[in-house]
Amino acid sequence: MSILIIEAFYGGSHKQLVDLLQEELEDCVLYTLPAKKWHWRARTAALYFFQNIPISERYSILFASSVINLTELVALRPDLGKLKKILYFHENQLVYPVKKCQERDFQYGYNQILSCLVADVVVFNSVFNMESFLTSIGKFMKLIPDHRPKDLENIIRPKCQVIYFPIRIPDVSRFMPEHKIAHLKKTLSLKGNGGAVSSVSCPSQPEQRDSDNLLENFSSENDVHVGLDTIQQENPNNSSMQESDSKATDSSDKPSSHRGHIEQNLTLLPSDMLGGVDAQQRPLHIIWPHRWLEAVCCGCYPLCPKDLVYPEIFPAEYLYSTPEQLSKRLQNFCKRPDIIRKHLYKGETASFSWAVLRGKFRSLLTTESREDL
């Protein structure tokens, strides 16, 4: 048995996921296209893979992200149509933010609906992603002027499930105060090893390198000491809230028209200017980390809108409903930075770790193909 993994946009979280699966699962074969020209990948990737994936009798499972038009691929390659076909949604094009409704390209959402119809299993990275897609199908199909298909949501929904995007929790102990290290170990069910934090199963060398790279990139991009004096800020402008969410989640795998102005840092004061100021009274750094669930594990305090996927992930005390609420909380925290530094995160983080999700992905990708094909 062999697992065929196809990624038409090999970058960002798309790359992170398929690389992890290929590392952790046996007998995986990966075919990719570079993470650029997103619109053309969505339009034409199926034709490229039709010509460049060799025919093999070894494949039993096909795993692909929703960038590719799976319907076109299996029509061009009937041999792949016989496999158990798993479609993974990092985002969906039915609700992906656009400035004006008329600017939404119908074809991208339509391709994803068709792909769901031919897939055997459809996996979403959150309940919000799944429900926003499924409940939007009816309204979306009304854009067709006549002879509209019916009951597509009811056809697709039984195939759907949620498996959160898996992250490898890095060793962040050297960045954090002792009380937060102890809390992190407890919440992630981790064991101390010479003062360091390790996963339930000891990390391999590649995993350790990934962790180190994550921390180095995180620190250099945001110019802050991660986990010691940071809180997160979301865009308070309600009209652009969905767009800001997409950036914080995965800026690298989205159309270029949505990137740019949101990718910024808000640093109140460089840490090397603080001199001998007491650690509990130093000004806070407000950062935009792009990877929230990782940021929380690094000791950050999240402030997120009470909208989109955030209520699904973060407890209510970390959510705000209006720009005024956000401003007030930021003011209070800036006056009393010790509140943030002493705070222990009260939400769940372990459920998003690879250590916990490994079994779900392994089960998903080791089930034999359907008998009736």
Side-chain angles (χ1 to χ4, degrees), residues 42 100 243 313 325:
K100 297 179 181 179
E243 185 169 345
I313 298 175
Q325 289 181 2

Side-chain angles (χ1 to χ4, degrees), residues 66-351:
S66 61
V67 174
I68 194 170
N69 187 328
L70 189 59
T71 305
E72 291 180 347
L73 180 62
V74 299
L76 293 167
R77 288 288 300 271
D79 59 313
L80 300 182
K82 296 178 181 180
L83 309 180
K84 177 187 177 182
K85 299 172 290 298
I86 302 170
L87 193 67
Y88 192 88
F89 275 74
H90 293 262
E91 46 76 30
N92 77 79
Q93 290 299 313
L94 301 193
V95 298
Y96 190 81
V98 292
K99 293 181 179 179
K100 297 179 181 179
C101 184
Q102 55 266 36
E103 292 180 1
R104 186 181 302 280
D105 191 316
F106 179 83
Q107 194 64 41
Y108 301 135
Y110 182 68
N111 288 353
Q112 290 187 331
I113 292 173
L114 291 181
S115 294
C116 289
L117 290 172
V118 301
D120 298 301
V121 182
V122 183
V123 183
F124 292 85
N125 63 357
S126 70
V127 174
F128 171 80
N129 193 10
M130 180 177 72
E131 290 299 329
S132 65
F133 178 80
L134 292 173
T135 58
S136 296
I137 291 176
K139 180 180 178 180
F140 184 81
M141 298 308 287
K142 288 182 180 178
L143 295 173
I144 300 175
D146 56 11
H147 301 286
R148 303 183 186 103
K150 299 179 180 180
D151 299 323
L152 296 184
E153 177 185 349
N154 294 333
I155 296 173
I156 294 172
R157 183 175 285 277
K159 305 179 181 183
C160 298
Q161 59 177 280
V162 173
I163 303 181
Y164 288 109
F165 185 90
I167 60 174
R168 283 172 166 162
I169 306 300
D171 176 358
V172 295
S173 57
R174 63 190 182 277
F175 291 98
M176 301 174 68
E178 291 188 5
H179 72 286
K180 290 198 174 186
I181 296 174
H183 182 67
L184 181 65
K185 290 180 180 179
K186 181 178 179 180
T187 55
L188 294 179
S189 299
L190 302 179
K191 298 179 179 179
N193 182 12
V197 179
S198 60
S199 60
V200 175
S201 59
C202 294
S204 62
Q205 289 301 317
E207 180 171 347
Q208 185 61 47
R209 288 197 298 271
D210 290 345
S211 300
D212 292 340
N213 290 338
L214 172 62
L215 290 168
E216 290 172 4
N217 293 337
F218 194 85
S219 298
S220 62
E221 288 177 3
N222 295 285
D223 192 27
V224 296
H225 290 288
V226 180
L228 294 180
D229 52 3
T230 55
I231 56 176
Q232 301 175 358
Q233 176 179 341
E234 176 57 86
N235 189 342
N237 188 332
N238 289 334
S239 64
S240 61
M241 193 174 291
Q242 286 193 350
E243 185 169 345
S244 65
D245 168 59
S246 67
K247 306 306 176 196
T249 306
D250 189 5
S251 63
S252 63
D253 62 353
K254 303 298 184 279
S256 59
S257 61
H258 296 292
R259 295 200 296 267
H261 69 281
I262 292 183
E263 298 182 3
Q264 58 181 312
N265 312 313
L266 299 177
T267 305
L268 299 183
L269 192 63
S271 57
D272 57 1
M273 295 174 60
L274 298 174
V277 178
D278 181 83
Q280 293 298 334
Q281 295 302 319
R282 288 178 179 177
L284 296 172
H285 289 114
I286 303 173
I287 66 170
W288 211 308
H290 300 282
R291 288 286 180 270
W292 293 65
L293 295 164
E294 287 97 328
V296 168
C297 288
C298 289
C300 294
Y301 185 105
L303 278 178
C304 311
K306 194 175 183 179
D307 196 10
L308 306 174
V309 73
Y310 297 110
E312 182 181 340
I313 298 175
F314 296 106
E317 71 176 272
Y318 302 107
L319 307 177
Y320 64 87
S321 299
T322 66
E324 291 74 21
Q325 289 181 2
L326 172 62
S327 178
K328 183 176 181 180
R329 295 190 70 182
L330 285 174
Q331 290 180 43
N332 290 336
F333 290 153
C334 290
K335 291 176 181 177
R336 290 285 310 280
D338 58 301
I339 295 176
I340 297 298
R341 296 195 173 94
K342 294 178 180 178
H343 180 79
L344 298 177
Y345 180 65
K346 299 177 182 178
E348 175 62 60
T349 54
S351 59

Side-chain angles (χ1 to χ4, degrees), residues 1-5 25-30 58-63 362 365-366:
M1 181 190 75
S2 184
I3 302 169
L4 175 62
I5 301 178
L25 300 175
E26 299 79 17
D27 202 15
C28 291
V29 180
L30 176 63
R58 296 177 59 234
Y59 302 134
S60 60
I61 295 175
L62 169 61
F63 180 93
R362 186 174 293 276
L365 293 168
T366 54

